[in-house]
Amino acid sequence: MALQGDYERHLRALQSAGAHAVEVRTAAEMAAVDGLVLPGGESTTMLKLLHREGLFEPLAAFGHEKPIFGTCAGAILLATTVTSPEQESLGLVDIAVQRNAYGRQLDSRVVTLPSSLGDLEAVFIRAPIIRAAGPAVTVLATYNNDPVLVEQGRHLVATFHPELTADSRVHAYFLTKL
Amino acid sequence: MILNEEYRLKVGLAEMLKGGVIMDVVTPEQAVIAERAGACAVMALERVPSDIRRDGGVARMSHISLIRGIMDAVSIPVMAKARIGHFVEARVLEALAVDYIDESEVLTPADEENHIDKRDFKVPFVCGARNLGEALRRIGEGAAMIRTKGEAGSGNIVEAVRHMRTIVKEMRQLTVLGPEELMAEAKKHQAPFELIEWVAKHGKLPVPNFSAGGVATPADAALVMQLGAEAVFVGSGIFKSENPELFAKAVVKATTYYRDPVKVMEACEEIGESRAMVGLEISKIAEGELMQTRGW
């Protein structure tokens, strides 16, 4: 989904994981793909564009049939509940997310995390924290006891940015859901 | 070039701003209007560049209370400007925990020879550039984002176009040269050799390249995006227009859909009959009053 944010980095990560990746900005383009990535960026900006361009409902409908991978801002859009401040979301993954929960840019960080996909380098940038996860959600990695990589059925959520590293394992894992 | 962890984080936030619009705001109320319109970040300052130009005098870092008020008012990233070479203003902004510092030619330079050593800061910096050499010198000093300078507060896109075209052309030229030709290029551009090599190999800057200085309409925003900008700074163009809310929304739309003429047309239509900011012809600005020639 190329409305705003680091979609170009996702495009490259998907390509290096072996996918045919394209930029999606319209409902027609959305209808032509098997899975979608909601990139990092500003969730408020994306939300406003989704509504103004009549993409919010098509995106929610897409998520009821096909897989979506949300990173950072994308994770916020996929959640059922968003706080600080409260914000509308798609409600496709049963998580409660707090925005900018680590603080401002000065509190951004790079850490190495064990996960069910092996050790991952995790880049957190003004990242949200998953404060609660429903029973249908599987946690694949945690940081400071908070879930940071989770899945629910066909959907995948990361509060960090796998697209900013050279490692495409998380994207490759998402492709197995298509 | 050392792409260490801290530098990657600095560049990482710039990646998150791509495809978005960063708007100059002078009050918390304007910041809220910008956020509601879909700005991906705001630049907190006391006067927009066109007012700085009109008022004259020395333009300095904004009041802390003003920046803090804007930081409290919105959830999107907040940037603030320090004078070129004024590393203490930059330290103050870092202590305030702004998300990005713009070492900006819009303010009156504090040092006519040296820019800030930006590697030494934890907060990321954006700097202006008119050509590839200037961009790479700033990156060499640690800037994590480059914006073309354009001519701030002019409402005239011609300088932004000139600077973006220059940088893109100079990068493209490097990609066709052999390795033995690159040292001469480093000499010509007065830029660090390692960065010249990096650009020759990748055909782009190692950090995001945004556009600034003269964007006044949705079509201006789409123009600089098509020329190679990865996001757009709008200074006076929003809040000096007749209807800031409409202009802000329309510029956001045109930036996202910059390659789609129908969407850009819709964005232009959304501003209705409201007038853009009054523009200045660059040749009518006295040479000593040009902002783009500040810094080197």
Side-chain angles (χ1 to χ4, degrees), chain A residues 112-136:
Chain A
T112 301
L113 297 177
S115 80
S116 54
L117 306 174
D119 280 1
L120 293 175
E121 190 184 27
V123 183
F124 292 92
I125 294 170
R126 287 173 48 95
I129 290 182
I130 298 175
R131 292 297 183 192

PDB file of all heavy atoms in Angstrom, chain A residues 112-136:
ATOM      1  N   THR A 112      18.559  -7.002  18.872  1.00  0.00           N
ATOM      2  CA  THR A 112      18.472  -8.349  18.300  1.00  0.00           C
ATOM      3  C   THR A 112      17.513  -9.157  19.151  1.00  0.00           C
ATOM      4  O   THR A 112      17.626  -9.179  20.380  1.00  0.00           O
ATOM      5  CB  THR A 112      19.857  -9.011  18.270  1.00  0.00           C
ATOM      6  OG1 THR A 112      20.716  -8.182  17.494  1.00  0.00           O
ATOM      7  CG2 THR A 112      19.792 -10.386  17.621  1.00  0.00           C
ATOM      8  N   LEU A 113      16.545  -9.793  18.497  1.00  0.00           N
ATOM      9  CA  LEU A 113      15.485 -10.501  19.217  1.00  0.00           C
ATOM     10  C   LEU A 113      15.435 -11.962  18.797  1.00  0.00           C
ATOM     11  O   LEU A 113      15.482 -12.262  17.607  1.00  0.00           O
ATOM     12  CB  LEU A 113      14.120  -9.909  18.856  1.00  0.00           C
ATOM     13  CG  LEU A 113      13.806  -8.478  19.206  1.00  0.00           C
ATOM     14  CD1 LEU A 113      12.431  -8.152  18.660  1.00  0.00           C
ATOM     15  CD2 LEU A 113      13.829  -8.298  20.713  1.00  0.00           C
ATOM     16  N   PRO A 114      15.281 -12.872  19.761  1.00  0.00           N
ATOM     17  CA  PRO A 114      14.954 -14.243  19.376  1.00  0.00           C
ATOM     18  C   PRO A 114      13.488 -14.287  18.916  1.00  0.00           C
ATOM     19  O   PRO A 114      12.653 -13.575  19.463  1.00  0.00           O
ATOM     20  CB  PRO A 114      15.143 -15.035  20.672  1.00  0.00           C
ATOM     21  CG  PRO A 114      15.005 -14.041  21.764  1.00  0.00           C
ATOM     22  CD  PRO A 114      15.368 -12.687  21.211  1.00  0.00           C
ATOM     23  N   SER A 115      13.204 -15.059  17.882  1.00  0.00           N
ATOM     24  CA  SER A 115      11.815 -15.188  17.430  1.00  0.00           C
ATOM     25  C   SER A 115      11.623 -16.604  16.925  1.00  0.00           C
ATOM     26  O   SER A 115      12.593 -17.365  16.807  1.00  0.00           O
ATOM     27  CB  SER A 115      11.522 -14.202  16.299  1.00  0.00           C
ATOM     28  OG  SER A 115      12.014 -14.710  15.078  1.00  0.00           O
ATOM     29  N   SER A 116      10.389 -16.945  16.587  1.00  0.00           N
ATOM     30  CA  SER A 116      10.158 -18.292  16.060  1.00  0.00           C
ATOM     31  C   SER A 116      10.759 -18.443  14.663  1.00  0.00           C
ATOM     32  O   SER A 116      10.812 -19.537  14.124  1.00  0.00           O
ATOM     33  CB  SER A 116       8.667 -18.616  16.061  1.00  0.00           C
ATOM     34  OG  SER A 116       7.986 -17.607  15.361  1.00  0.00           O
ATOM     35  N   LEU A 117      11.212 -17.335  14.061  1.00  0.00           N
ATOM     36  CA  LEU A 117      11.901 -17.401  12.769  1.00  0.00           C
ATOM     37  C   LEU A 117      13.419 -17.365  12.940  1.00  0.00           C
ATOM     38  O   LEU A 117      14.154 -17.226  11.973  1.00  0.00           O
ATOM     39  CB  LEU A 117      11.474 -16.229  11.875  1.00  0.00           C
ATOM     40  CG  LEU A 117       9.983 -16.021  11.632  1.00  0.00           C
ATOM     41  CD1 LEU A 117       9.737 -14.736  10.861  1.00  0.00           C
ATOM     42  CD2 LEU A 117       9.402 -17.205  10.870  1.00  0.00           C
ATOM     43  N   GLY A 118      13.891 -17.467  14.187  1.00  0.00           N
ATOM     44  CA  GLY A 118      15.321 -17.326  14.469  1.00  0.00           C
ATOM     45  C   GLY A 118      15.609 -15.920  14.979  1.00  0.00           C
ATOM     46  O   GLY A 118      14.683 -15.113  15.125  1.00  0.00           O
ATOM     47  N   ASP A 119      16.884 -15.613  15.258  1.00  0.00           N
ATOM     48  CA  ASP A 119      17.229 -14.281  15.762  1.00  0.00           C
ATOM     49  C   ASP A 119      16.977 -13.230  14.684  1.00  0.00           C
ATOM     50  O   ASP A 119      17.377 -13.403  13.536  1.00  0.00           O
ATOM     51  CB  ASP A 119      18.703 -14.245  16.174  1.00  0.00           C
ATOM     52  CG  ASP A 119      18.919 -14.852  17.554  1.00  0.00           C
ATOM     53  OD1 ASP A 119      17.902 -15.311  18.150  1.00  0.00           O
ATOM     54  OD2 ASP A 119      20.066 -14.871  18.031  1.00  0.00           O
ATOM     55  N   LEU A 120      16.318 -12.137  15.066  1.00  0.00           N
ATOM     56  CA  LEU A 120      16.004 -11.070  14.122  1.00  0.00           C
ATOM     57  C   LEU A 120      16.583  -9.758  14.610  1.00  0.00           C
ATOM     58  O   LEU A 120      16.538  -9.464  15.815  1.00  0.00           O
ATOM     59  CB  LEU A 120      14.487 -10.886  13.997  1.00  0.00           C
ATOM     60  CG  LEU A 120      13.660 -11.989  13.371  1.00  0.00           C
ATOM     61  CD1 LEU A 120      12.185 -11.634  13.479  1.00  0.00           C
ATOM     62  CD2 LEU A 120      14.047 -12.183  11.914  1.00  0.00           C
ATOM     63  N   GLU A 121      17.109  -8.970  13.671  1.00  0.00           N
ATOM     64  CA  GLU A 121      17.511  -7.618  14.006  1.00  0.00           C
ATOM     65  C   GLU A 121      16.263  -6.744  13.893  1.00  0.00           C
ATOM     66  O   GLU A 121      15.627  -6.679  12.835  1.00  0.00           O
ATOM     67  CB  GLU A 121      18.581  -7.141  13.029  1.00  0.00           C
ATOM     68  CG  GLU A 121      19.212  -5.843  13.442  1.00  0.00           C
ATOM     69  CD  GLU A 121      20.215  -5.338  12.411  1.00  0.00           C
ATOM     70  OE1 GLU A 121      20.060  -5.665  11.223  1.00  0.00           O
ATOM     71  OE2 GLU A 121      21.137  -4.614  12.815  1.00  0.00           O
ATOM     72  N   ALA A 122      15.882  -6.103  14.996  1.00  0.00           N
ATOM     73  CA  ALA A 122      14.629  -5.344  15.005  1.00  0.00           C
ATOM     74  C   ALA A 122      14.913  -3.858  15.149  1.00  0.00           C
ATOM     75  O   ALA A 122      15.537  -3.420  16.105  1.00  0.00           O
ATOM     76  CB  ALA A 122      13.736  -5.818  16.144  1.00  0.00           C
ATOM     77  N   VAL A 123      14.464  -3.068  14.160  1.00  0.00           N
ATOM     78  CA  VAL A 123      14.638  -1.616  14.162  1.00  0.00           C
ATOM     79  C   VAL A 123      13.322  -0.988  14.610  1.00  0.00           C
ATOM     80  O   VAL A 123      12.293  -1.118  13.930  1.00  0.00           O
ATOM     81  CB  VAL A 123      15.004  -1.106  12.751  1.00  0.00           C
ATOM     82  CG1 VAL A 123      15.259   0.398  12.778  1.00  0.00           C
ATOM     83  CG2 VAL A 123      16.212  -1.851  12.192  1.00  0.00           C
ATOM     84  N   PHE A 124      13.346  -0.341  15.781  1.00  0.00           N
ATOM     85  CA  PHE A 124      12.141   0.328  16.290  1.00  0.00           C
ATOM     86  C   PHE A 124      12.285   1.835  16.072  1.00  0.00           C
ATOM     87  O   PHE A 124      13.257   2.436  16.514  1.00  0.00           O
ATOM     88  CB  PHE A 124      11.976   0.076  17.796  1.00  0.00           C
ATOM     89  CG  PHE A 124      11.651  -1.351  18.148  1.00  0.00           C
ATOM     90  CD1 PHE A 124      12.659  -2.253  18.449  1.00  0.00           C
ATOM     91  CD2 PHE A 124      10.337  -1.788  18.197  1.00  0.00           C
ATOM     92  CE1 PHE A 124      12.367  -3.571  18.790  1.00  0.00           C
ATOM     93  CE2 PHE A 124      10.030  -3.103  18.533  1.00  0.00           C
ATOM     94  CZ  PHE A 124      11.048  -3.996  18.829  1.00  0.00           C
ATOM     95  N   ILE A 125      11.317   2.457  15.386  1.00  0.00           N
ATOM     96  CA  ILE A 125      11.355   3.898  15.149  1.00  0.00           C
ATOM     97  C   ILE A 125      10.037   4.515  15.576  1.00  0.00           C
ATOM     98  O   ILE A 125       9.003   4.247  14.964  1.00  0.00           O
ATOM     99  CB  ILE A 125      11.639   4.200  13.664  1.00  0.00           C
ATOM    100  CG1 ILE A 125      13.063   3.718  13.322  1.00  0.00           C
ATOM    101  CG2 ILE A 125      11.511   5.693  13.374  1.00  0.00           C
ATOM    102  CD1 ILE A 125      13.376   3.724  11.868  1.00  0.00           C
ATOM    103  N   ARG A 126      10.062   5.293  16.655  1.00  0.00           N
ATOM    104  CA  ARG A 126       8.821   5.866  17.184  1.00  0.00           C
ATOM    105  C   ARG A 126       7.730   4.789  17.187  1.00  0.00           C
ATOM    106  O   ARG A 126       6.615   4.994  16.731  1.00  0.00           O
ATOM    107  CB  ARG A 126       8.372   7.079  16.345  1.00  0.00           C
ATOM    108  CG  ARG A 126       9.252   8.329  16.562  1.00  0.00           C
ATOM    109  CD  ARG A 126       8.887   9.442  15.589  1.00  0.00           C
ATOM    110  NE  ARG A 126       7.459   9.685  15.518  1.00  0.00           N
ATOM    111  CZ  ARG A 126       6.815  10.618  16.216  1.00  0.00           C
ATOM    112  NH1 ARG A 126       7.472  11.414  17.028  1.00  0.00           N
ATOM    113  NH2 ARG A 126       5.526  10.757  16.096  1.00  0.00           N
ATOM    114  N   ALA A 127       8.096   3.638  17.715  1.00  0.00           N
ATOM    115  CA  ALA A 127       7.277   2.443  17.526  1.00  0.00           C
ATOM    116  C   ALA A 127       6.095   2.384  18.487  1.00  0.00           C
ATOM    117  O   ALA A 127       6.148   2.947  19.578  1.00  0.00           O
ATOM    118  CB  ALA A 127       8.146   1.202  17.719  1.00  0.00           C
ATOM    119  N   PRO A 128       5.028   1.679  18.078  1.00  0.00           N
ATOM    120  CA  PRO A 128       3.922   1.413  18.994  1.00  0.00           C
ATOM    121  C   PRO A 128       4.243   0.194  19.863  1.00  0.00           C
ATOM    122  O   PRO A 128       5.169  -0.568  19.553  1.00  0.00           O
ATOM    123  CB  PRO A 128       2.765   1.098  18.041  1.00  0.00           C
ATOM    124  CG  PRO A 128       3.435   0.473  16.851  1.00  0.00           C
ATOM    125  CD  PRO A 128       4.792   1.124  16.743  1.00  0.00           C
ATOM    126  N   ILE A 129       3.481   0.007  20.939  1.00  0.00           N
ATOM    127  CA  ILE A 129       3.591  -1.211  21.747  1.00  0.00           C
ATOM    128  C   ILE A 129       2.241  -1.923  21.728  1.00  0.00           C
ATOM    129  O   ILE A 129       1.188  -1.282  21.838  1.00  0.00           O
ATOM    130  CB  ILE A 129       4.006  -0.886  23.209  1.00  0.00           C
ATOM    131  CG1 ILE A 129       5.468  -0.413  23.244  1.00  0.00           C
ATOM    132  CG2 ILE A 129       3.816  -2.096  24.115  1.00  0.00           C
ATOM    133  CD1 ILE A 129       6.004  -0.119  24.643  1.00  0.00           C
ATOM    134  N   ILE A 130       2.287  -3.245  21.564  1.00  0.00           N
ATOM    135  CA  ILE A 130       1.068  -4.062  21.646  1.00  0.00           C
ATOM    136  C   ILE A 130       0.791  -4.306  23.124  1.00  0.00           C
ATOM    137  O   ILE A 130       1.533  -5.027  23.793  1.00  0.00           O
ATOM    138  CB  ILE A 130       1.250  -5.386  20.876  1.00  0.00           C
ATOM    139  CG1 ILE A 130       1.495  -5.095  19.388  1.00  0.00           C
ATOM    140  CG2 ILE A 130       0.017  -6.281  21.066  1.00  0.00           C
ATOM    141  CD1 ILE A 130       1.805  -6.329  18.547  1.00  0.00           C
ATOM    142  N   ARG A 131      -0.235  -3.655  23.667  1.00  0.00           N
ATOM    143  CA  ARG A 131      -0.530  -3.735  25.096  1.00  0.00           C
ATOM    144  C   ARG A 131      -1.363  -4.954  25.455  1.00  0.00           C
ATOM    145  O   ARG A 131      -1.365  -5.404  26.591  1.00  0.00           O
ATOM    146  CB  ARG A 131      -1.241  -2.455  25.559  1.00  0.00           C
ATOM    147  CG  ARG A 131      -0.371  -1.207  25.540  1.00  0.00           C
ATOM    148  CD  ARG A 131       0.793  -1.328  26.504  1.00  0.00           C
ATOM    149  NE  ARG A 131       1.594  -0.099  26.547  1.00  0.00           N
ATOM    150  CZ  ARG A 131       2.784  -0.017  27.124  1.00  0.00           C
ATOM    151  NH1 ARG A 131       3.326  -1.088  27.700  1.00  0.00           N
ATOM    152  NH2 ARG A 131       3.460   1.116  27.109  1.00  0.00           N
ATOM    153  N   ALA A 132      -2.122  -5.479  24.518  1.00  0.00           N
ATOM    154  CA  ALA A 132      -2.933  -6.667  24.791  1.00  0.00           C
ATOM    155  C   ALA A 132      -3.153  -7.409  23.487  1.00  0.00           C
ATOM    156  O   ALA A 132      -3.227  -6.792  22.420  1.00  0.00           O
ATOM    157  CB  ALA A 132      -4.273  -6.263  25.401  1.00  0.00           C
ATOM    158  N   ALA A 133      -3.229  -8.745  23.574  1.00  0.00           N
ATOM    159  CA  ALA A 133      -3.481  -9.561  22.390  1.00  0.00           C
ATOM    160  C   ALA A 133      -4.546 -10.599  22.729  1.00  0.00           C
ATOM    161  O   ALA A 133      -4.499 -11.219  23.799  1.00  0.00           O
ATOM    162  CB  ALA A 133      -2.194 -10.249  21.936  1.00  0.00           C
ATOM    163  N   GLY A 134      -5.518 -10.772  21.837  1.00  0.00           N
ATOM    164  CA  GLY A 134      -6.620 -11.711  22.059  1.00  0.00           C
ATOM    165  C   GLY A 134      -6.168 -13.156  21.897  1.00  0.00           C
ATOM    166  O   GLY A 134      -5.040 -13.423  21.483  1.00  0.00           O
ATOM    167  N   PRO A 135      -7.051 -14.120  22.222  1.00  0.00           N
ATOM    168  CA  PRO A 135      -6.694 -15.550  22.194  1.00  0.00           C
ATOM    169  C   PRO A 135      -6.359 -16.068  20.799  1.00  0.00           C
ATOM    170  O   PRO A 135      -5.616 -17.039  20.667  1.00  0.00           O
ATOM    171  CB  PRO A 135      -7.947 -16.246  22.743  1.00  0.00           C
ATOM    172  CG  PRO A 135      -9.055 -15.240  22.631  1.00  0.00           C
ATOM    173  CD  PRO A 135      -8.422 -13.891  22.714  1.00  0.00           C
ATOM    174  N   ALA A 136      -6.863 -15.410  19.759  1.00  0.00           N
ATOM    175  CA  ALA A 136      -6.598 -15.892  18.397  1.00  0.00           C
ATOM    176  C   ALA A 136      -5.217 -15.464  17.888  1.00  0.00           C
ATOM    177  O   ALA A 136      -4.798 -15.860  16.810  1.00  0.00           O
ATOM    178  CB  ALA A 136      -7.682 -15.366  17.455  1.00  0.00           C
TER     179      ALA A 136
END
